[in-house]
Amino acid sequence: MKTLIKNGTVVNATGTAQADVLIDGETIAAVLAPGSTLLGFDLEGHVDTVIDAAGKYVIPGGIDAHTHMELPFGGTAASDTFETGTRAAAWGGTTSIIDFAVQTTGQRIETGLETWHQKAAGNCAIDYGFHQIIGGVDEFSLKAMESLVDEGITSYKLFMAYPGVFYSDDAQILRAMQKAADLGLMTMMHAENGPAIDVLAEQLVAQGKTDPYYHGIARAWQMEEEATHRAIMLANLTGAPLYVVHVSAKQAVAQVAWARDQGQNVFGETCPQYLYLSLEDQLGATSDEWGAFEGSKWVCSTPLRSREEGHQSSMWQALRTNDLQMVSTDHCPFCMKGQKELGAGDFRAIPNGIGSIEHRMDLMYQGVVTGEITLARWVELTSTTPARMFGLYGKKGVIQPGADGDVVVYDPNGHTSIGLGEGRSHHMNMDYSAWEGYEIDGHVDTVISRGTVVVDAGEYLGTKGHGSFLKRGLSQYLV
Ligand code: URP
Ligand code: ZN
Ligand code: ZN
């Protein structure tokens, strides 16, 4: 199967160029001057499919490096399976995900990882890799870390939050980081002071403050700043590279920036919800059906932050200045019915998470429209840096000969209406959209995954099982 994408503007992290892209089989074979005949050879007459991308951007497929399909949480599980979640990702121009395999306390890492392989294998529409959640750092998990690189899993996540569930204390973090420094693994950190948050949450509930809004009050920015600093210092001591996930507080960004200015290998991601949504929005949300519990739609951790305090603008700035390097979704969807509603009357029981996998490319493109970021930076934040950060670059994250044929044709003059209703763009397995009513300048027209067209002209053409497991190398972002 040969596909020629002609007349488009190719956007890589390095900039833009008018070029045609030839995909042969699963691989980009050539990036050519527009209309090139290759030494007199008529290309168009020798390919199976020609896609005219005139007036459109031709970009490397999005890489969402932080997703949680089927994550067990709070007595329920994230509502997207690998099948439904990767299909929704494809709809939105994402052609690879890195999900989190889970090891819970007392379980062996090997068992948790095997479970995740079983959940994903044969079900994905697009390629997928895993990070390893280590929910119980003990002698067995420290030993098992030694095999992760061979498994193609070169990053793992620890939690300074959620005591009794995924939580690691400082001694466990120190031991894991020492091991990671030896092995070259990237430590990903959920940086919030969980034990202190639990006290604050208990006090709020005792005062009758049980609405979803108080989730964000309990998870105060001081809790994120303090944990981010502690993680940085432990990483500094051990020499382990550190990647702080879902950064939402401007004070946490300042910690990441401070460490980077000292030359430490510290990186950070933020997520669309921390760029667009706010604690004020959550407080103001009420509906006939749910009343103030409507705010549970946006309960996630780290929480939404106050717009008045300037967290959102600080995130955009950090993305421009490279204090933050990437945007992932932290896709962790739950339905209102039967899932979020478990926390009606006590915000502590609301499953934490927002579903956005389908909208990340569109939402981040709005940053180009409003002038917050450049076109090249859009691609860098959503595809190229995720590839480099997590050992996929060259194969993924760039339009160049030899790379996988993961390509998106994006129409800057198109329009996308996000939400559940008729003519709107929601394919995630959720009974609501955290982004209902968002109107997007731009549209994902065509999505190609390893040479196969999976979405085109508003039609899903992909297949369950097309997606392959990505054995990742070590981070290519480290000096
Ligand atoms: O609210 C969130 N983020 N849920 C998923 C689990 C995590 O901490 O990433
Ligand atoms: Zn987390
Ligand atoms: Zn997460």
Side-chain angles (χ1 to χ4, degrees):
M1 178 77 175
K2 295 181 179 56
T3 304
L4 181 69
I5 307 169
K6 65 173 193 179
N7 300 326
T9 302
V10 172
V11 187
N12 274 313
T14 45
T16 61
Q18 292 304 123
D20 295 348
V21 177
L22 176 66
I23 304 174
D24 187 0
E26 298 197 338
T27 309
I28 296 176
V31 180
L32 306 130
S36 172
T37 56
L38 269 190
L39 303 174
F41 188 79
D42 166 29
L43 271 180
E44 273 197 49
H46 290 82
V47 297
D48 304 284
T49 310
V50 177
I51 297 171
D52 189 351
K56 300 177 185 174
Y57 300 131
V58 179
I59 63 172
I63 301 173
D64 192 340
H66 187 155
T67 71
H68 298 284
M69 306 306 170
E70 307 176 37
L71 176 75
F73 197 108
T76 183
S79 57
D80 262 322
T81 61
F82 279 89
E83 181 183 354
T84 62
T86 57
R87 193 166 56 212
W91 271 108
T94 286
T95 52
S96 303
I97 62 163
I98 312 181
D99 202 83
F100 287 84
V102 177
Q103 177 236 359
T104 50
T105 314
Q107 188 189 41
R108 294 292 170 92
I109 282 186
E110 294 86 341
T111 314
L113 182 53
E114 180 51 31
T115 304
W116 242 253
H117 274 298
Q118 281 169 11
K119 284 177 195 272
N123 287 320
C124 294
I126 54 166
D127 290 349
Y128 63 97
F130 297 141
H131 313 285
Q132 180 68 51
I133 283 177
I134 303 187
V137 178
D138 57 20
E139 58 177 308
F140 300 109
S141 45
L142 288 167
K143 183 76 191 149
M145 283 172 78
E146 292 170 12
S147 311
L148 287 178
V149 174
D150 285 345
E151 301 276 347
I153 295 165
T154 52
S155 43
Y156 72 104
K157 182 177 177 188
L158 296 177
F159 291 80
M160 301 167 97
Y162 309 133
V165 188
F166 296 128
Y167 176 73
S168 290
D169 65 24
D170 291 349
Q172 291 172 306
I173 293 170
L174 181 73
R175 284 187 203 282
M177 282 185 173
Q178 284 169 334
K179 188 63 124 181
D182 281 351
L183 297 168
L185 294 174
M186 180 70 80
T187 301
M188 305 172 78
M189 189 61 78
H190 181 130
E192 287 186 296
N193 186 326
I197 286 169
D198 280 5
V199 172
L200 294 172
E202 191 184 312
Q203 290 169 347
L204 287 163
V205 171
Q207 293 162 31
K209 296 175 175 169
T210 58
D211 285 343
Y213 165 75
Y214 292 103
H215 169 86
I217 301 301
R219 306 185 94 87
W221 59 260
Q222 291 91 338
M223 302 292 98
E224 187 182 347
E225 181 185 16
E226 183 277 327
T228 305
H229 182 75
R230 192 156 29 102
I232 287 168
M233 296 319 293
L234 291 168
N236 189 304
L237 184 72
T238 55
L242 174 69
Y243 177 96
V244 186
V245 295
H246 46 54
V247 175
S248 66
K250 63 181 180 184
Q251 295 84 355
V253 174
Q255 290 296 324
V256 172
W258 168 76
R260 292 174 59 73
D261 288 349
Q262 299 198 104
Q264 203 178 327
N265 273 323
V266 173
F267 314 103
E269 71 174 15
T270 191
C271 313
Q273 52 268 36
Y274 308 124
L275 293 160
Y276 289 100
L277 307 174
S278 73
L279 196 57
E280 289 88 351
D281 297 336
Q282 195 174 27
L283 178 63
T286 56
S287 68
D288 290 346
E289 188 178 5
W290 298 104
F293 192 68
E294 181 86 1
S296 65
K297 291 180 173 176
W298 302 278
V299 163
C300 55
S301 295
T302 58
L304 301 187
R305 301 281 177 206
S306 161
R307 181 171 283 115
E308 274 169 30
E309 290 174 4
H311 297 283
Q312 286 81 2
S313 55
S314 164
M315 295 300 135
W316 281 112
Q317 178 174 313
L319 292 176
R320 278 194 299 279
T321 58
N322 211 40
D323 287 339
L324 296 178
Q325 293 74 41
M326 287 175 43
V327 177
S328 313
T329 55
D330 192 7
H331 178 75
C332 192
F334 297 98
C335 292
M336 285 296 279
K337 294 256 164 55
Q339 295 200 295
K340 290 281 185 183
E341 70 179 351
L342 292 169
D346 185 343
F347 67 83
R348 294 174 298 180
I350 301 170
N352 288 197
I354 287 185
S356 311
I357 199 166
E358 190 170 348
H359 307 310
R360 185 183 63 122
M361 301 302 286
D362 279 332
L363 288 165
M364 292 315 299
Y365 181 68
Q366 300 319 285
V368 179
V369 173
T370 58
E372 295 280 4
I373 52 172
T374 64
L375 257 186
R377 186 67 175 160
W378 172 49
V379 167
E380 189 169 30
L381 293 168
T382 54
S383 179
T384 310
T385 299
R388 287 181 66 207
M389 190 68 74
F390 294 115
L392 291 170
Y393 186 74
K395 189 175 163 65
K396 307 286 187 191
V398 61
I399 296 202
Q400 69 180 15
D404 280 357
D406 290 1
V407 179
V408 173
V409 178
Y410 195 84
D411 182 0
N413 298 310
H415 185 85
T416 307
S417 300
I418 299 183
L420 262 62
E422 182 65 26
R424 307 190 79 88
S425 68
H426 180 104
H427 299 87
M428 299 172 283
N429 185 32
M430 302 169 71
D431 61 3
Y432 79 97
S433 168
W435 302 95
E436 189 69 50
Y438 269 68
E439 299 294 337
I440 299 294
D441 286 336
H443 188 260
V444 172
D445 274 12
T446 307
V447 182
I448 304 174
S449 163
R450 271 186 293 103
T452 299
V453 176
V454 291
V455 173
D456 190 45
E459 210 183 331
Y460 181 72
L461 304 168
T463 46
K464 171 179 163 170
H466 165 79
S468 297
F469 176 65
L470 294 166
K471 266 190 130 179
R472 296 181 293 112
L474 296 176
S475 174
Q476 296 144 307
Y477 211 77
L478 300 170
V479 287

